[in-house]
Amino acid sequence: MAHYLVRSNGKEFDIVIEKSGDSFHAVVNGRKYFVQSASCGRSKSVMLIDGSSHEISIKTNGYDNSRLVTVGPVEVELEIDNFRLAQLKKAAGNGSGKAASKEIKAPMPGLILEVKVSSGEKVEPGQLILVIEAMKMENAVKSSAAAVVKNIAVSKGQSVEKGDLLIEFE
Amino acid sequence: MAHYLVRSNGKEFDIVIEKSGDSFHAVVNGRKYFVQSASCGRSKSVMLIDGSSHEISIKTNGYDNSRLVTVGPVEVELEIDNFRLAQLKKAAGNGSGKAASKEIKAPMPGLILEVKVSSGEKVEPGQLILVIEAMKMENAVKSSAAAVVKNIAVSKGQSVEKGDLLIEFE
Amino acid sequence: MSKPIKKILIANRGEIAVRIIRACKELSITSVAVFSSADRSACHVAMADEAYFIGGAPSPESYLDQNKIIETAKKCQSDAIHPGYGFLAENAGFARRCADEKIIFIGPRAETIELLGDKIQARQKAIEAGLPVIPGEEIDVADSDDALTKAKSIGFPVLIKAIAGGGGKGMRVVNSAEDFNESLIRASSEAKSAFGDGRVFLEKFLENPRHIELQILCDAHGNAVHLGERECSIQRRHQKLIEESPSPVMTPKLRLKMGEAALKIARASDYIGAGTVEFMVDQDMSFYFLEVNTRLQVEHPVTELVTAIDLVKEQIAIAENKKLSFSQDDITFSGHAIECRLSAEDPQQGFVPSTGTIQDYRIPSGPGVRIDSGVESGSEISVYYDPLFAKLIVWGKDRSEAISRMRRALEEFRISGLKTTIGFHRLVMENDNFISGDFSTNFIETEYPNFEFETAADKTIETAAIAAAIDKFKNESSINLQNGKSSRASVSNWSLYHRQRNMRKFTGSR
Amino acid sequence: MSKPIKKILIANRGEIAVRIIRACKELSITSVAVFSSADRSACHVAMADEAYFIGGAPSPESYLDQNKIIETAKKCQSDAIHPGYGFLAENAGFARRCADEKIIFIGPRAETIELLGDKIQARQKAIEAGLPVIPGEEIDVADSDDALTKAKSIGFPVLIKAIAGGGGKGMRVVNSAEDFNESLIRASSEAKSAFGDGRVFLEKFLENPRHIELQILCDAHGNAVHLGERECSIQRRHQKLIEESPSPVMTPKLRLKMGEAALKIARASDYIGAGTVEFMVDQDMSFYFLEVNTRLQVEHPVTELVTAIDLVKEQIAIAENKKLSFSQDDITFSGHAIECRLSAEDPQQGFVPSTGTIQDYRIPSGPGVRIDSGVESGSEISVYYDPLFAKLIVWGKDRSEAISRMRRALEEFRISGLKTTIGFHRLVMENDNFISGDFSTNFIETEYPNFEFETAADKTIETAAIAAAIDKFKNESSINLQNGKSSRASVSNWSLYHRQRNMRKFTGSR
């Protein structure tokens, strides 16, 4: 028997798994399911929950507790912890609530075509900040809020990878 | 540069491989080819021989020198050795020429339905020896030559795997 | 009055279960798979909306277990059961049990299955309906002397075939009186084990006949149509390997006559559902009634491709008591379709079954190609079930385009981990007699006696040799690098990294 | 006189190169691929009979390098070059160079490409041929005041579009005078970088129009036919996402009128080859000439599925100087076809391109499904080329069957390693306005403002959570076993083996 806490997209699932012969009982937020699971190939399996069939594939992000679970054609990102560990983490109260974005990162890999702001400039919401060309399309990157530009990390003609820092705000 | 001897289906290929930039020169039984090879995924590659395109996949039988090479949709089994090693092997003259078959092995996995001979019995070429059921079909196993049955390794109702010993002759 | 079906239990596995599940999904009908212990992660289980375990790997413990299947259907509240082909598809007792349990059996009525499943009665019915039949009669297996006398009076070669069942099981051609007795015993024993009925029938064996069958659809309101023919002469041991529509020898006039004959026996047996009337056609184009298959055929897709009618959806509509939405005049035939049955068998070794785990499964696609497959990468082909793992069906504007498309599609197919008949089908698509359409049911044994097939071309072997050499060369270079066994005495970390990067480059990884 | 083509160089990559190679294989024409350093192991290289390296990953160094392509064609003795779409497909200079080098360019004559590639000239030609056009005129980018005056006189909203090229590049809708200047500069700059020509045209922007196009085929002997329409209104930023044939709003009468209009401009421009005449259709079903695409379209398969005519083979036949084998009266339309363009883009993040290596690629199949794909497991999607990796095309007896089949096929599709638009297409196939056929080119921005798509259903998230828990449970049990960290103090080798066997059983490995 094992007790897990699974979180995804703001939802929490308290799950107890118990083996039952070739199969499993899963108690999910108090509701009991009969689960059969059979693997097929390396990372795929077929899972039946009270008879409902699902094709499952699970990818682990290396050492940590996050998983990319594919249910049929749908991908779900989630985090799974042993229940007690999750409770301890919560009690420790490691801060939630994301800080407002203080930077713009490259939304895609591409080439910086133009930078339309300069350091120290005050920008309005929706103002054009820069233009990235990717796959032959020009993409306008705009500010989401009023802010003051602190640092411009890229220049015209530069290639960037997805996630590269472009602009920092004060 | 490396020098190999490849054997398949009674044919021998004396092959010298030399790297040339991103590509290779292969001299095969004295004829020179320009070869480009690019891998795609784990076991697949695209190989161009003087521009002719081939989709290649290679499986190795563990430690030894035999390979299963798939060229497009065609499978080719072959053996590859370093040329000098192959020459040494040849000089040592490890016996070729297979001995006549002294046994019958299961040609497929299945269920022994009937054994039609007994130990010590003399059988004629084409005589029915036993019947195996596999995938709902009855398959007659017949003798390929005149022989005397020495040992019957299976009995009616027994399940056999492909390659299991069924009958030994004297 | 029509009654919509909401949930169908598919009492089958493999490609045909997948085919039926696809139809259910497109009709928004809930699909229910059943599975044996060998099929826990099979495609049909993964694809169905629901799936239930019904027993052990051997089919009598699962796919043939009527109790378990009925029980499962009731438990999950299925309105209907689709039996596919094989297993319980032509079991009148099962159809009757479904009726008793108020579950719709998607197939003809039990009485029809019973009547037509018995070759003697079916033959009698055909004679009454005015269909031509091949000379022959039932024989008593126990009285081998009398059986031999009857065989002699019909004249060798004769064909012994099981009265129950079909699909080549319990069937033997006997060319001379000496072989008669053993063949009779084998056929009867095979029939008994396959169908639980050892009775056999004896008939004149036609020389170089064609096997041509007519697809029929009959609703419960007296409407019956035929959907043209399928040419199924390319067979091995009475198992069809390649089917096509239209037949290369068909004429509109002959199709009309055979279609009428097919509908005559359908009407005479109050047929409801999809079915196939099989005929033998001899060299002067006379045709003889063979039998009626009271089920969906393996080869139904070729008809679907030339008529644009979805036979599984029509089966379901008929089971819902709907009227056919078209009449005979609405049915048109367009282009040419060919199906190759792809099996896990080794043609080089007399088509022995090949088992194992499928690796690197890649199906062809593009214009005019359809695959009905029951497997994927990671699927296991076991000894328990039919070795058919997929059907490759192509459509072309004419036979010539269909053949060249089939060739192209077979070349694109990739599967490893076991032996298959794909290479064999590629040979047939290059065979002059196949291409000219000049063949009979003896095609395989005439063209490929002793299963002596051409192996890989010399050029292909040379290519494989070069590939193996390049591969070994790359690996040896790579091992040398990894072990630091470079000819240079010392290599700095940076230059090692640099060389590995180069190597990655020339091997094409990016 | 017709001259058979023996060898075709395909000056393209990805799915369209694969599509053309398939046609070549079926016609026994030798296919030659060319490839950049990013495409050494790409599908089109693996599938072609021959393949030659032509340069670096950025397309100007390879797929757009006319010298290298012509040189390769001459070196390997190709009779003909098929340009696919994009790259050099509508480059009149390249077509002319092929002609000079006596290589057949599979496409219209250079003069036709030149004439119709220039939106101003094409518009003039259309007006002369009697086709209705949208009010508008060319503007001088440098004289922004004059441009704004012209925009105001046409009346906002206006559409700025590049005179050269197409495919949504260099195109901007401007709703008010304030935004005009910046949009004009952006559009012109985009046009200059994409087509080397910054000239733009201004026209009245129609509210809620449909984009409907007519496929034409014209041989070199004066025979011209149209193959019906394609409805291409489902677009994002002027890039088509979903196409179908017939259009849900088409009537036989309108098709006749639009077909006649399409053939008028074809005749007026001495068109030879396959082409597409694009129209905007407004809400009262008036249609306006938009442009002619002098090439094979991405969406050509929907026409192939409803007409059973292979457009690539027809292109090749026309290039061989053959007469069309059918007349307008021979062309019939059967059923309904829909295409979804599957792209490596993340719809949740405003359709940003997604790059990476494709894993676990599994294409759907079964009745009525066609995939034109340019990738397979192990393929890399790079930043250098169009993110379109495959097209999923289905045929159904009517629109409703086609939609439910598309839904089924999208559900069967598997791809991992990067984000794709498959989930987005699944949403559209469930969208009431799409299902009713009631949509315009504004569909995407109206239905999915701010790219706010429904994420996974709660039930699906719960299923994923259970799957993760079971998986973790299995792994932890397995680690315990392997490390011998069992709760029992000592475990004999035999019982350990026994427990592992059991575990294999319950995980379904056999």
Side-chain angles (χ1 to χ4, degrees), chain C residues 17-34:
Chain C
V18 169
R19 167 71 186 91
I20 297 161
I21 292 166
R22 282 177 167 149
C24 288
K25 290 203 182 264
E26 292 177 10
L27 293 169
S28 300
I29 291 172
T30 304
S31 53
V32 179
V34 290

Side-chain angles (χ1 to χ4, degrees), chain C residues 81-98:
Chain C
I81 293 180
H82 196 307
Y85 53 70
F87 295 133
L88 299 169
E90 290 171 288
N91 187 312
F94 182 67
R96 188 162 288 126
R97 253 195 92 174
C98 288

